[in-house]
Amino acid sequence: MLKKRIEEIITLIAEVANGNFDYELELSETGNEMDAVIAGISMLGQELKRSTVSRDFMQSIYQGVVDMLLVLNTDYTIRNINEALVEATGYKEEDLVGEHISVLFNETESLRVLEAFFKLENDGKCLNTEFLVRTKDQKDLPTSCSFSYLKNSKQDIDGILIIAKDITDLKNKERELQEAKEKAEAANEAKSSFLSSMSHEIRTPLNGMIGFTELLRETALDNPQARYVDLIKTSGTTLARLLNDILDLHRIEQDKIEIEAIPFDIRSTTASHLEPYRYLASKKNVALTYTFDEEVPQVVTGDPTRINQVLVNLVTNAIKFTDAGTINVHCNAQTIDKLLGEVVLEFRITDSGIGIPLDKQELIFESFTQSDQSTTRRYGGSGLGLAISKKLVNLMNGEIGILNPPAEQPGTTFWFTVKLAYQEEGAAAPETTETDNTFKLSEDTHILVVDDNPINVLLMQEVLEQMGATVTTATNGEEALQLAKTRSIDLVFLDIQMPDMDGMEVARRLRNSSFINPVIAFSANAYKADIAKSLQAGMNGHLCKPFTNKELIGVLKKWT
């Protein structure tokens, strides 16, 4: 009986050893020592069963993960890899098991992997680090790798787990985005170059047209002739404003407009800009008025040019779309912070014109847009003024919008705000400069005008000679350099864009030849960057085409 029981136990042990963990022996009723051995073996079998099921379960997960998995021994040799790594690299498991991890990386990447192991040792993990994995055919596979320790039941380090995600698609998209960005930047650069070139090509003849119109107005004209000359000047001024609008819009889009912060008298500056438009409005039987609340400070610090550009855009729109009635410009102090010395000014421009439908009011602030195409046909305009005004107001930390008039009341009210610093009462207002129609140069003033355009040369010569200067002209850089050497020149007006030798090079050569008198860039390039380049080349100032007498006199007063 005992022998038979021992044979049954041996059979049980053999079955368990062969993986038949569910093989069972019946226990005796007495519960003797043999039964205890049988129970122990059966319990071991069930533990082995659970362990094997768990191992198989983890193995199925390990092989089913879409990311590449590597298990390393503590000496950094490869213990296991999954199917995803086999498919991605072309290696078989037997090619890698037992090999050092560096077999999957080139020399440079191996050093970076070593750094990752240092980080793993210090921090207990190293996550989402990019590496190039070397495939069996010696190609680089971009991956994002995470490193972590594997620990046994005693929490001792038993190995290292590396999860590597193939990021080829991500890198391709990044490259495509970078290429698209570079193409967009190149297109913007080409656009800037084109606009700069077109600015020069348009401003050059425009300068001659407006300049000679001014000279013609000073001659004896009968009434029809004077009216025709005024129309020519108005057309030229309109074209110049459109050109400026296009350049301004482009500069704003390229973040190339800087808002100045200079003190100025808000009342007198606004008045000087709006006064000419009272005359234009009166010709349409429209009364233009402008008023200020008493709380508005006298002297504020901001950008008077841009504030008045917005104001003039809105006023000219009001004049354009008001056939009769009134236009009122009112400025009030919306908020005043005496502690910070800041004021938010609100301007309201109210007209009795045709008005703007509610469903079109947001649309009109878009570039090249008006509320109705029939409006463009009837009243003209490019649709740029409001778009530029909105962008400028935003740059000045303000807002712009429209107020709806009461029911059945015609007209429109535009408003905009700007935040400005202000000075307490009693602060001296900055001096304003007016055009000095009696300005004359001293008789011995000798000016050299250099421009490849004969019309601009003739215009400058006529204007400067009327002011009392002796004028010498040159149509290219070489001629200008020779004249500067052989004659006593007090001031040079130098065109920037000329064939063979541009104005920048002429200026540099003049300075290298010890010419110390002022050189003024006389150019159609209106960008600040272009002006800065001319100053870096050795020039002293800049006169933009087309110029006004006020601008020219300002330059002459400063440099003669």
Side-chain angles (χ1 to χ4, degrees):
M1 186 67 182
L2 178 62
K3 181 179 178 181
K4 182 181 178 183
R5 198 62 169 165
I6 292 173
E7 288 176 353
E8 289 176 346
I9 292 173
I10 291 172
T11 302
L12 173 63
I13 294 171
E15 290 294 332
V16 170
N18 288 322
N20 186 7
F21 304 123
D22 292 325
Y23 187 86
E24 294 181 355
L25 285 179
E26 291 185 5
L27 299 177
S28 68
E29 296 179 358
T30 60
N32 56 29
E33 292 179 356
M34 290 293 185
D35 288 338
V37 172
I38 292 170
I41 294 171
S42 297
M43 186 181 300
L44 176 61
Q46 291 304 309
E47 287 294 329
L48 287 172
K49 178 182 178 181
R50 284 193 292 272
S51 173
T52 302
V53 170
S54 176
R55 184 187 64 210
D56 293 343
F57 178 70
M58 292 305 298
Q59 184 68 16
S60 65
I61 294 176
Y62 183 73
Q63 294 298 340
V65 172
V66 295
D67 292 334
M68 293 170 274
L69 299 180
L70 298 93
V71 176
L72 307 184
N73 298 309
T74 53
D75 62 354
Y76 306 120
T77 56
I78 299 173
R79 184 190 302 172
N80 296 108
I81 62 173
N82 70 345
E83 287 295 331
L85 189 138
V86 172
E87 293 176 3
T89 65
Y91 286 108
K92 296 179 180 178
E93 187 170 5
E94 54 266 29
D95 295 333
L96 296 177
V97 172
E99 296 290 336
H100 193 273
I101 183 64
S102 59
V103 73
L104 288 172
F105 301 95
N106 62 31
E107 185 176 347
T108 302
E109 292 296 281
S110 292
L111 292 174
R112 295 184 60 243
V113 170
L114 185 58
E115 292 176 359
F117 285 136
F118 286 144
K119 181 174 176 60
L120 173 63
E121 184 177 350
N122 292 329
D123 301 342
K125 59 184 177 181
C126 178
L127 304 178
N128 301 323
T129 305
E130 293 186 7
F131 293 100
L132 294 174
V133 171
R134 182 61 57 88
T135 63
K136 189 172 184 178
D137 58 1
Q138 300 302 297
K139 293 181 179 178
D140 288 329
L141 178 69
T143 62
S144 176
C145 298
S146 295
F147 300 68
S148 60
Y149 283 124
L150 295 174
K151 296 183 180 181
N152 58 24
S153 59
K154 296 180 180 180
Q155 295 302 301
D156 294 327
I157 295 174
D158 185 51
I160 299 171
L161 174 65
I162 302 177
I163 303 175
K165 183 178 182 63
D166 184 350
I167 56 173
T168 302
D169 291 342
L170 176 63
K171 287 299 178 183
N172 288 338
K173 284 183 172 59
E174 285 180 357
R175 185 171 59 254
E176 290 171 3
L177 287 173
Q178 181 62 29
E179 290 173 355
K181 178 175 177 289
E182 291 173 357
K183 287 180 181 179
E185 289 173 348
N188 277 330
E189 188 63 31
K191 181 180 176 182
S192 295
S193 177
F194 172 78
L195 286 174
S196 178
S197 176
M198 285 300 98
S199 170
H200 179 271
E201 295 302 321
I202 295 173
R203 285 178 186 274
T204 297
L206 192 59
N207 181 64
M209 183 176 76
I210 294 176
F212 280 112
T213 301
E214 286 287 351
L215 292 177
L216 186 59
R217 290 180 70 189
E218 296 174 7
T219 63
L221 301 172
D222 59 29
N223 288 337
Q225 290 171 334
R227 184 157 53 87
Y228 298 153
V229 169
D230 283 342
L231 289 173
I232 294 172
K233 187 187 179 206
T234 300
S235 298
T237 303
T238 301
L239 182 58
R241 186 180 298 117
L242 174 60
L243 181 60
N244 287 336
D245 283 348
I246 294 173
L247 292 176
D248 275 348
L249 184 62
H250 181 63
R251 284 198 292 262
I252 291 170
E253 289 174 346
Q254 299 297 307
D255 293 326
K256 291 184 177 178
I257 279 191
E258 295 180 3
I259 300 300
E260 293 183 317
I262 58 176
F264 65 99
D265 185 326
I266 185 68
R267 287 175 171 79
S268 63
T269 303
T270 302
S272 66
H273 281 81
L274 292 184
E275 197 60 34
Y277 293 94
R278 295 183 70 175
Y279 171 71
L280 292 177
S282 67
K283 293 173 71 174
K284 294 183 67 177
N285 294 320
V286 175
L288 171 61
T289 60
Y290 48 88
T291 54
F292 293 83
D293 277 355
E294 291 183 4
E295 293 80 7
V296 175
Q298 185 75 15
V299 179
V300 295
T301 299
D303 193 328
T305 301
R306 297 304 178 185
I307 292 173
N308 282 292
Q309 182 178 352
V310 174
L311 194 56
V312 167
N313 276 342
L314 297 177
V315 168
T316 53
N317 264 3
I319 294 173
K320 184 192 302 183
F321 298 117
T322 304
D323 292 328
T326 61
I327 299 171
N328 175 251
V329 178
H330 182 69
C331 176
N332 68 82
Q334 195 176 69
T335 62
I336 297 178
D337 189 327
K338 293 185 178 181
L339 184 63
L340 296 177
E342 292 180 346
V343 60
V344 175
L345 296 184
E346 181 191 55
F347 289 86
R348 292 194 179 195
I349 299 88
T350 303
D351 65 62
S352 57
I354 61 175
I356 300 172
L358 288 175
D359 60 338
K360 303 292 185 181
Q361 290 184 2
E362 287 297 324
L363 184 67
I364 60 172
F365 287 106
E366 301 297 326
S367 302
F368 303 102
T369 302
Q370 291 186 333
S371 62
D372 192 333
Q373 290 304 312
S374 63
T375 301
T376 306
R377 291 191 293 271
R378 180 180 176 186
Y379 294 98
S382 63
L384 284 176
L386 290 177
I388 292 170
S389 295
K390 182 176 182 178
K391 293 178 185 294
L392 288 176
V393 167
N394 288 339
L395 287 174
M396 292 185 287
N397 298 315
E399 296 179 328
I400 188 170
I402 309 172
L403 294 177
N404 297 317
E408 299 182 2
Q409 181 175 323
T412 305
T413 296
F414 279 92
W415 61 270
F416 71 94
T417 62
V418 288
K419 181 185 287 188
L420 307 167
Y422 76 95
Q423 301 179 29
E424 295 292 344
E425 292 184 10
E431 294 182 3
T432 57
T433 57
E434 299 293 336
T435 303
D436 185 357
N437 295 322
T438 63
F439 175 78
K440 292 292 181 182
L441 293 163
S442 60
E443 293 181 1
D444 58 348
T445 302
H446 193 175
I447 297 177
L448 173 62
V449 176
V450 187
D451 197 319
D452 63 310
N453 186 291
I455 294 177
N456 283 327
V457 170
L458 178 60
L459 173 63
M460 284 294 284
Q461 185 173 6
E462 289 283 342
V463 173
L464 292 171
E465 285 179 348
Q466 285 186 13
M467 294 179 180
T470 300
V471 180
T472 300
T473 64
T475 57
N476 59 68
E478 287 291 351
E479 185 182 359
L481 292 171
Q482 290 300 320
L483 289 170
K485 289 179 182 177
T486 58
R487 302 193 184 185
S488 176
I489 303 295
D490 299 303
L491 178 68
V492 178
F493 282 100
L494 179 59
D495 185 27
I496 297 297
Q497 291 188 356
M498 295 186 295
D500 299 326
M501 186 188 304
D502 65 21
M504 303 290 189
E505 182 62 24
V506 175
R508 281 189 283 267
R509 294 194 185 188
L510 282 173
R511 294 311 184 199
N512 290 336
S513 66
S514 302
F515 184 85
I516 60 173
N517 288 337
V519 178
I520 306 301
F522 179 50
S523 169
N525 293 336
Y527 286 122
K528 272 192 175 181
D530 295 321
I531 296 173
K533 287 178 183 177
S534 65
L535 297 178
Q536 290 171 2
M539 303 189 203
N540 301 92
H542 188 276
L543 182 64
C544 186
K545 303 173 187 174
F547 63 89
T548 63
N549 275 354
K550 179 180 178 180
E551 291 167 341
L552 177 59
I553 291 170
V555 170
L556 293 173
K557 283 184 174 181
K558 184 174 182 179
W559 298 109
T560 59

